């Protein structure tokens, strides 16, 4: 038997925060070594963070990554364990997305990514070049400061694998697995038994099964050990990376990490017998025949043993049942973890939500409640980092910490019902009951006085007073009066978010949460700069239909029973007066149902349909209940309002990404919008340079004047933290 223990991990990296990233990498290696692993795999671009986007174009980013790698190699981190680190590397004049394979304080190979992710949320071709030279490994000359520190001048660079004394190991980076001709097929025929896939894969509802089936398929007929590592958390953008690092052996899942978790480091171990891989391959005739005439792949030989021999004290990992979450659980957990990362990394002290008592804002409130439950649960499980963050954000003193989710919510979550003369008693009550169930600090505010003052000001300026349509006004007047209410709510929400902490003697500020769903964004059924304009929006890429099923689930599983009544109520904006013969309804206003909007969205984005091809598809889909003329009217109506309201997408609140037909616009300056405002690694490097330059200045002064000069260079740096009083800091 050839027994091999491997470790892969979920890491919550933060784009451009090199100190944070290096800390978690070291923790993962320490845990891997303590667990007896001989291979440690981390996620794609783990040293920099995956979401650096246009920061990858900066030479600083590449330079800092080399500095971090040097620190790892100069210490004992790689002693006795093969580590694969993800980072950008510049070779000649090209920038590559690479896995750097290290062992015993040496770089043994650099594997550049050959097939780049360049669709949907990914634009890797904007920042990296795909490696196209498959024939031979090339010599890569290490940067001078690295080669001097490591006493190593060159390293093999390119497509290939590492041949050890007892097995062969290769990297296959993220997107490469999903290509029509994935590298692992060819590598398996060349004798590679262990595949390491470093990934940066985001959460999307109902997506995980596609990913896991790819791992299983890769090894089911070819045999092999497939290790997968992923980021987990929000690293500074709209995406939540959903972990689920795992190990698959010969088509069986033998180890699986969590998909959603507030942990910063989660290790996944597997103890495997590589002879099982060899046995499977030798028993498949077609594998033997194809291997006998394979195309040769370059290799690096390392005279080192990774495996142990037969040992009864070692327990082998057995196949296990794959853990999947339902879509309702995904909505409860994914956005909740995303919100937690924003809260703890933004410098904010909590969230403020305009809570209308409707389905959308109630979904957001339930997700915040889920976040509070997750935090309390993780603290009870002994996670000291989550505990420290919760103590800091909740301003606990005297050794206290959160033990009850409702008590924690009261400290970090404000909800505000901003009612008008058009609000019903039912929605007012629903908002209050839900706030009580979650534990938020709730306000009931009337905006009628502010709205009336604005209308009176308009009348003073123009001599005219607009009326609602039900009172005889025109469509223009009706829309204008609705928009005034909506925009007043936005102004009030941001005022309360900034000043309520001051009122309650709390430091910092609160983040305003938006609550527009993906279908309303697609249709443009929202007022520009109303309370849909917020700091972040956890449901902005979730469909109305999924939210409704989530509400029914959450009423039971999260313990917020009032959500069942909220889900059953017809959606309404409550921006027009209620009359005995008229009540404003969303689907009537939009001229289409939420079900129809989901269909339009998927055809437009996922299936890339223009108006004509959408019409043809819907003639088949709806032909049994609608005539072609009726289908045509619906398609034309959708594209009319999609086009009219597309401008709203350029200012849409940054939203959690959960649906592939999201219409959110994000085109030009591709950098994240959540930073560590202290830039600890970079600012420290500046301070070090200042100290060096000041030392040079002292030496120059002494040599020219012959006098001793005292220079103060303490490296201090005044950094404005978010919410510290500078209106440009934070959100």
């Amino acid at each position: 038997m050839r027994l091999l223990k491997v470790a892969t991990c979920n890491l919550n990296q933060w784009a451009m925060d090199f100190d944070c990233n290096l800390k978690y990498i070291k923790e993962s290696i320490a845990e891997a070594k303590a667990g007896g692993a001989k291979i440690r795999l981390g996620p794609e671009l783990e040293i920099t963070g995956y979401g650096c986007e246009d920061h990858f174009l900066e030479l600083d980013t590449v330079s800092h990554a080399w500095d971090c790698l040097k620190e790892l190699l100069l210490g004992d981190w790689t002693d006795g364990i093969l580590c694969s680190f993800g980072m950008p590397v510049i070779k000649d004049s090209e920038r590559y997305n690479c896995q750097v394979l290290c062992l015993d304080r040496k770089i043994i190979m650099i594997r550049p990514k050959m097939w780049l992710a360049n669709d949907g949320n990914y634009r890797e071709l904007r920042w990296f070049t795909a490696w196209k030279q498959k024939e031979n490994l090339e010599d890569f000359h290490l940067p001078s400061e690295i080669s001097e520190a490591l006493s190593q001048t060159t390293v093999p660079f390119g497509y290939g694998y590492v041949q050890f004394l007892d097995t062969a190991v290769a990297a296959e980076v993220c997107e490469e697995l999903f290509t029509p001709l994935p590298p692992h097929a060819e590598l398996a025929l060349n004798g590679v038994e262990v595949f390491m896939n470093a990934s940066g894969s985001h959460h999307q509802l109902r997506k995980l099964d596609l990913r896991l089936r790819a791992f299983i398929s890769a090894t089911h007929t070819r045999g092999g050990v497939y290790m997968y590592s992923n980021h987990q958390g929000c690293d500074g953008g709209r995406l939540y990376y959903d972990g689920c690092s795992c190990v698959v052996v010969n088509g069986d899942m033998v180890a699986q990490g969590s998909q959603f978790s507030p942990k910063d480091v989660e290790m996944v171990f597997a103890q495997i017998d590589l002879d099982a891989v060899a046995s499977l391959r030798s028993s498949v005739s077609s594998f033997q025949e194809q291997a006998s005439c394979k195309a040769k792949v370059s290799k690096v030989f390392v005279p080192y043993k990774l495996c142990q021999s037969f040992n009864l004290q070692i327990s082998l990992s057995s196949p296990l049942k794959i853990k999947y979450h339902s879509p309702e659980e995904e909505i409860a957990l994914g956005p909740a973890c995303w919100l937690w990362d924003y809260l703890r990394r933004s410098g904010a002290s909590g969230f403020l939500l305009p809570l209308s008592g409707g389905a959308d804002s109630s979904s957001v409130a339930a997700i915040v409640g889920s976040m509070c439950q997750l935090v309390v649960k993780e603290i009870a499980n002994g996670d000291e980092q989550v505990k420290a963050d919760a103590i800091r954000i909740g301003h606990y003193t005297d050794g206290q910490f959160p033990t009850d989710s409702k008590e924690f919510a009261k400290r970090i979550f404000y909800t505000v019902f901003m009612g008008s003369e058009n609000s019903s008693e039912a929605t007012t009550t629903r908002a209050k009951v839900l706030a009580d169930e979650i534990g938020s600090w709730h306000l009931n505010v009337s905006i009628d006085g502010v709205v009336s003052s604005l209308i009176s000001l308009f009348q003073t300026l123009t001599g005219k007073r607009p009326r609602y349509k039900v009172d005889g006004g025109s469509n223009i007047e009706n829309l204008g009066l609705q928009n005034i209410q909506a925009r007043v709510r936005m102004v009030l929400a941001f005022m309360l978010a900034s000043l309520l902490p001051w009122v309650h003697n709390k430091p910092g500020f609160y983040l305003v949460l938006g609550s527009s769903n993906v279908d309303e964004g697609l249709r443009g059924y929202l007022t520009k700069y109303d309370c849909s304009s917020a700091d972040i929006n956890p449901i902005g890429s979730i469909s109305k239909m999924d939210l409704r099923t989530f509400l029914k689930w959450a009423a039971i599983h999260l313990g917020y029973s009032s959500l069942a009544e909220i889900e059953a109520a017809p959606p309404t904006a409550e921006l027009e007066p209620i009359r005995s013969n008229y009540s404003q309804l969303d689907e009537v206003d939009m001229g289409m149902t939420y079900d129809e909007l989901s269909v339009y969205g998927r055809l437009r984005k996922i299936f890339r349909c223009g108006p004509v091809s959408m019409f043809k598809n819907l003639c088949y889909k709806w032909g049994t209940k609608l005539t072609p003329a009726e289908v045509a009217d619906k398609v034309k109506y959708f594209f009319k309002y999609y086009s009219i309201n597309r401008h709203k997408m350029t200012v849409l609140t940054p939203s959690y990404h959960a649906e592939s037909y999201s219409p959110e616009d994000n085109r030009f300056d591709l950098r994240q919008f959540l930073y560590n405002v202290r830039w600890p690694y970079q600012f420290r490097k500046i301070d070090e340079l200042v100290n060096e330059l000041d030392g040079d200045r002292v030496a120059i002064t002494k040599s020219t004047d012959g006098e001793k000069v005292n220079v103060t260079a303490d490296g201090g740096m005044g950094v404005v933290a978010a919410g510290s009083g500078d209106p440009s800091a934070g959100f």
Side-chain angles (χ1 to χ4, degrees), residues 14-36:
W14 191 0
M16 300 301 292
D17 191 339
F18 293 89
D19 281 343
C20 165
N21 298 343
L22 193 57
K23 176 176 181 283
Y24 297 156
I25 290 170
K26 288 179 177 178
E27 286 183 18
S28 70
I29 297 172
E31 288 190 39
K33 294 173 81 169

Side-chain angles (χ1 to χ4, degrees), residues 28 180 190 238 247 355 381 429 445 462 485 502 584 601 603 694:
S28 70
N190 276 267
R238 291 158 175 78
V247 180
L355 181 59
N381 290 337
T429 302
V445 180
T462 66
Q485 297 168 73
W502 167 71
Q584 184 181 25
L603 287 173
D694 280 349

Side-chain angles (χ1 to χ4, degrees), residues 561-666:
S561 59
S562 64
L563 293 175
E565 181 183 346
I566 291 169
E567 188 279 329
T572 172
E574 290 195 339
L575 293 171
E576 295 181 71
I578 299 171
R579 297 288 186 265
S580 59
N581 61 347
Y582 178 76
S583 180
Q584 184 181 25
L585 297 174
D586 288 354
E587 292 184 332
V588 174
D589 274 1
M590 291 192 298
M592 58 191 74
T593 66
Y594 283 107
D595 274 338
E596 290 171 345
L597 267 172
S598 291
V599 173
Y600 298 145
R602 288 185 169 85
L603 287 173
R604 177 197 68 94
K605 178 68 174 176
I606 300 172
F607 296 98
R608 298 164 293 281
C609 288
V612 176
S613 54
M614 183 181 291
F615 164 73
K616 291 177 179 178
N617 274 276
L618 290 178
C619 279
Y620 285 108
K621 187 176 182 65
W622 293 343
T624 57
K625 56 183 180 180
L626 296 175
T627 66
E630 290 171 325
V631 173
D633 286 342
K634 285 181 175 291
V635 170
K636 285 188 263 185
Y637 190 79
F638 163 70
F639 272 101
K640 173 185 174 181
Y641 281 96
Y642 166 76
S643 304
I644 288 173
N645 292 310
R646 179 60 183 163
H647 67 96
K648 296 179 183 178
M649 299 306 99
T650 64
V651 296
L652 199 64
T653 297
S655 304
Y656 178 92
H657 177 86
E659 195 61 77
S660 56
Y661 70 90
S662 173
E664 184 177 341
D665 178 54
N666 177 29

Side-chain angles (χ1 to χ4, degrees), residues 392-675:
R392 172 178 55 83
I393 294 166
H395 305 294
Y396 289 89
T397 58
D398 301 325
Q400 294 181 316
F401 56 87
T403 57
D404 177 78
S405 63
K406 291 181 69 172
E407 185 275 333
F408 185 50
K410 183 74 73 176
R411 288 173 176 260
I412 59 103
F413 189 30
Y414 289 139
T415 51
V416 187
F417 182 86
M418 294 183 274
S420 72
E421 59 181 344
N422 304 318
S423 302
S424 67
E425 184 61 35
T427 54
T428 307
T429 302
R430 289 187 204 119
K432 177 66 168 66
V433 172
L434 178 59
D436 289 343
E437 289 177 339
I438 294 170
S440 66
W441 197 90
H442 188 67
L443 275 175
N444 190 338
V445 180
S446 173
I447 64 171
D448 286 336
V450 181
V451 172
S452 179
S453 297
L454 288 171
I455 295 173
S456 296
L457 175 60
F458 179 83
Q459 185 176 12
T460 301
L461 292 172
T462 66
K464 291 188 174 183
R465 190 175 185 89
R467 295 177 296 167
Y468 289 103
K469 192 173 182 178
V470 294
D471 296 327
S474 64
N475 285 331
I476 293 175
E477 294 170 73
N478 196 59
L479 184 59
L481 288 172
Q482 292 183 69
N483 287 344
I484 289 171
Q485 297 168 73
R487 290 182 172 126
V488 162
R489 286 171 173 148
M490 181 201 71
V491 174
L492 181 59
F494 276 96
M495 182 183 75
L496 292 172
S498 62
L499 291 178
L500 277 179
W502 167 71
V503 170
H504 294 147
N505 295 315
K506 295 180 180 179
F509 62 102
Y510 277 41
L511 294 169
V512 178
L513 297 180
S515 57
S516 292
N517 63 66
V518 68
D519 297 322
E520 291 173 351
L522 180 66
R523 166 61 173 75
Y525 186 65
L526 52 92
T527 301
K528 201 173 186 180
Y529 303 117
D530 70 343
C531 60
S532 65
S533 299
D535 289 314
I536 49 176
N537 180 0
I539 66 165
S541 188
I542 303 176
S543 73
K544 186 76 164 190
M545 305 313 297
D546 280 334
L547 289 173
R548 299 197 78 140
T549 58
F550 164 69
L551 288 173
K552 288 187 280 191
W553 177 91
I556 299 170
H557 294 89
L558 294 182
Y560 308 141
S561 59
S562 64
L563 293 175
E565 181 183 346
I566 291 169
E567 188 279 329
T572 172
E574 290 195 339
L575 293 171
E576 295 181 71
I578 299 171
R579 297 288 186 265
S580 59
N581 61 347
Y582 178 76
S583 180
Q584 184 181 25
L585 297 174
D586 288 354
E587 292 184 332
V588 174
D589 274 1
M590 291 192 298
M592 58 191 74
T593 66
Y594 283 107
D595 274 338
E596 290 171 345
L597 267 172
S598 291
V599 173
Y600 298 145
R602 288 185 169 85
L603 287 173
R604 177 197 68 94
K605 178 68 174 176
I606 300 172
F607 296 98
R608 298 164 293 281
C609 288
V612 176
S613 54
M614 183 181 291
F615 164 73
K616 291 177 179 178
N617 274 276
L618 290 178
C619 279
Y620 285 108
K621 187 176 182 65
W622 293 343
T624 57
K625 56 183 180 180
L626 296 175
T627 66
E630 290 171 325
V631 173
D633 286 342
K634 285 181 175 291
V635 170
K636 285 188 263 185
Y637 190 79
F638 163 70
F639 272 101
K640 173 185 174 181
Y641 281 96
Y642 166 76
S643 304
I644 288 173
N645 292 310
R646 179 60 183 163
H647 67 96
K648 296 179 183 178
M649 299 306 99
T650 64
V651 296
L652 199 64
T653 297
S655 304
Y656 178 92
H657 177 86
E659 195 61 77
S660 56
Y661 70 90
S662 173
E664 184 177 341
D665 178 54
N666 177 29
R667 298 181 185 174
F668 298 110
D669 188 3
L670 301 181
R671 292 173 172 84
Q672 76 267 27
F673 51 84
L674 177 65
Y675 285 90

Side-chain angles (χ1 to χ4, degrees), residues 270-286:
Q271 180 78 59
I272 52 189
D273 175 17
L274 290 180
D275 282 353
V277 175
S279 176
L280 174 63
R281 289 178 175 179
S282 64
S283 68
V284 180
S285 178
S286 59

Side-chain angles (χ1 to χ4, degrees), residues 47-78:
I47 292 179
T48 58
Y50 184 85
C52 297
E53 300 187 320
D54 279 5
H55 284 297
F56 284 125
L57 303 178
E58 300 166 5
L59 294 178
D60 275 6
T61 304
V62 180
S63 175
H64 298 335
W66 278 115
D67 286 342
C68 292
L69 182 65
K70 180 173 71 172
E71 183 173 335
L72 289 167
L73 290 171
L74 290 178
D76 62 358
W77 302 102
T78 61

